[in-house]
Amino acid sequence: MRYFSVFKTDAEILRAINDIHLKGRWYDLDCTYSKGVFWKSLPQPRYKSDLYPQYDDVMQIDATTMDGIEDNRFESIVFDPPFLFRGRKAENRDKMSMRFSYFKSYEDLMRMYSKSMEQFMRVLKVRGYLLFKCQDMSEHRFYCTHKDIINYAEKIGFVLRDIVIKVSSNKLQRDAKQQNCVAKTHSYWLVFKKAI
Ligand SMILES: C[S@@+](CC[C@H](N)C(=O)[O-])C[C@H]1O[C@@H](n2cnc3c(N)ncnc32)[C@H](O)[C@@H]1O
């Protein structure tokens, strides 16, 4: 089986990453499990958590603290955090923001991502994998989120091993009054390995 870099579904991407990088060991923890949409057509991860669990078998854990989780616990972590931010209250009611919560600013978003990455570095085993789903955002300007994530991850000891792209067919983003950059119809799966 030869995989290429662009996919239409998260499930295909998770299978590819499992085959190529996890060598078939499957996923330990999905720490932003939500409704578990990723896993509908796949085996479940061994552990599930979320800040707001929606099922009994999902642990209540804040990714920015990972309280109660010992060091070097997991071989792999899937992280699909909220990615929207809205500076002004009047703009807080679009479908995606309501569904997954949102940040007040890009700085808040990056603070949450950075603190979580520091915790993942702690709770992952050496040579463990962090699978980080993200997308670049625009509010009044373009934010190159994936670059900032990669820079921070490398700064704290992760090595970027791969980038996989998911192309979305439905356009969930709301229409901008004035378009300031191209509307994003793709997201990234960043494959990081704990090197130290
Ligand atoms: C984009 S959704 C994840 C969707 C999920 N991958 C699925 O397949 O259904 C983001 C999730 O992150 C969770 N979340 C937000 N802040 C969090 C935090 N600090 N720690 C853990 N989970 C958090 C939200 O509760 C939400 O369920």
Side-chain angles (χ1 to χ4, degrees):
M1 179 77 182
R2 189 160 167 76
Y3 293 109
F4 296 94
S5 55
V6 178
F7 293 80
K8 286 187 179 154
T9 69
D10 293 303
E12 290 172 293
I13 291 173
L14 285 162
R15 276 199 194 282
I17 293 173
N18 176 58
D19 286 354
I20 296 170
H21 296 286
L22 304 190
K23 308 293 180 216
R25 291 192 299 276
W26 206 242
Y27 297 89
D28 261 355
L29 172 70
D30 180 345
C31 72
T32 43
Y33 187 82
S34 187
K35 293 180 188 300
V37 175
F38 285 168
W39 313 97
K40 293 278 188 241
S41 62
L42 296 173
Q44 294 287 307
R46 280 180 278 278
Y47 303 94
K48 314 167 192 184
S49 66
D50 198 288
L51 186 60
Y52 307 110
Q54 302 191 41
Y55 304 107
D56 291 344
D57 62 344
V58 179
M59 299 178 282
Q60 201 275 320
I61 296 176
D62 182 345
T64 65
T65 62
M66 296 300 271
D67 279 342
I69 305 294
E70 68 270 32
D71 298 357
N72 308 309
R73 174 76 176 75
F74 299 113
E75 282 195 9
S76 56
I77 297 176
V78 173
F79 186 48
D80 174 26
F83 52 84
L84 295 172
F85 66 96
R86 295 282 181 265
R88 287 170 287 152
K89 271 217 158 90
E91 295 186 359
N92 286 345
R93 302 222 147 259
D94 66 286
K95 210 164 123 193
M96 290 294 281
S97 287
M98 297 301 282
R99 186 164 167 216
F100 291 138
S101 79
Y102 55 89
F103 298 97
K104 287 203 172 75
S105 66
Y106 185 71
E107 288 67 34
D108 276 357
L109 175 149
M110 275 310 301
R111 202 170 300 122
M112 186 271 191
Y113 288 8
S114 304
K115 285 171 83 175
S116 301
M117 284 189 274
E118 288 163 17
Q119 287 301 318
F120 301 151
M121 177 54 71
R122 179 179 75 75
V123 301
L124 274 172
K125 294 182 198 290
V126 178
R127 290 184 288 284
Y129 279 89
L130 166 63
L131 300 318
F132 195 143
K133 186 181 177 189
C134 67
Q135 69 179 66
D136 295 338
M137 280 309 300
S138 64
E139 169 69 336
H140 301 294
R141 65 183 174 91
F142 167 61
Y143 293 86
C144 193
T145 315
H146 79 281
K147 179 200 71 172
D148 291 340
I149 293 168
I150 293 168
N151 285 347
Y152 193 75
E154 293 191 330
K155 189 173 150 189
I156 63 172
F158 283 108
V159 175
L160 180 67
R161 296 300 299 264
D162 216 345
I163 298 182
V164 187
I165 292 172
K166 182 191 166 194
V167 177
S168 165
S169 47
N170 52 349
K171 192 177 173 322
L172 289 162
Q173 287 172 344
R174 138 197 84 142
D175 290 332
K177 282 185 188 120
Q178 191 187 348
Q179 190 161 5
N180 54 49
C181 60
V182 292
K184 303 296 178 286
T185 53
H186 69 282
S187 49
Y188 302 91
W189 278 87
L190 306 177
V191 179
F192 292 110
K193 190 169 187 175
K194 175 172 169 174
I196 49 171

